[in-house]
Amino acid sequence: MQTAPEPEPAAETLTRTGGGEVGQTVTVHASSTRPADWGRALARAVSLLIEQIADTTGSDSCRAPGGLDLSLHVTALASGEAITVTWNG
């Protein structure tokens, strides 16, 4: 018996904060509680954060000699996980 494939986890943007040179944060919602399913949400958070940094600084921080220093925080929600990525400068 063949079963229907599981739906792909969603990656909804919850918040975007910060406006200075450092400390900018993006939080997205991952609909799954399984870490193996968080890839899409994590990729969305990092992409949004890089866009936000570029808008603020006018440069591509990924190309900086020191690289891009990010922090990751995962918070349990009733409907999945909140994944927060913060730029540390």
Side-chain angles (χ1 to χ4, degrees):
M1 177 199 244
Q2 195 172 26
T3 60
E6 291 184 28
E8 290 192 24
E12 169 191 358
T13 304
L14 298 177
T15 61
R16 294 173 82 165
T17 62
E21 291 293 313
V22 295
Q24 296 185 45
T25 298
V26 172
T27 301
V28 298
H29 173 254
S31 61
S32 175
T33 58
R34 294 179 32 195
D37 294 335
W38 298 344
R40 180 170 295 176
L42 184 55
R44 179 163 175 74
V46 171
S47 293
L48 289 170
L49 186 57
I50 290 171
E51 286 176 16
Q52 185 171 308
I53 294 166
D55 289 347
T56 301
T57 65
S59 64
D60 182 356
S61 56
C62 293
R63 302 288 174 223
L68 186 63
D69 184 16
L70 303 175
S71 295
L72 173 68
H73 184 81
V74 179
T75 305
L77 301 173
S79 60
E81 307 290 338
I83 298 176
T84 302
V85 180
T86 303
W87 178 40
N88 301 315

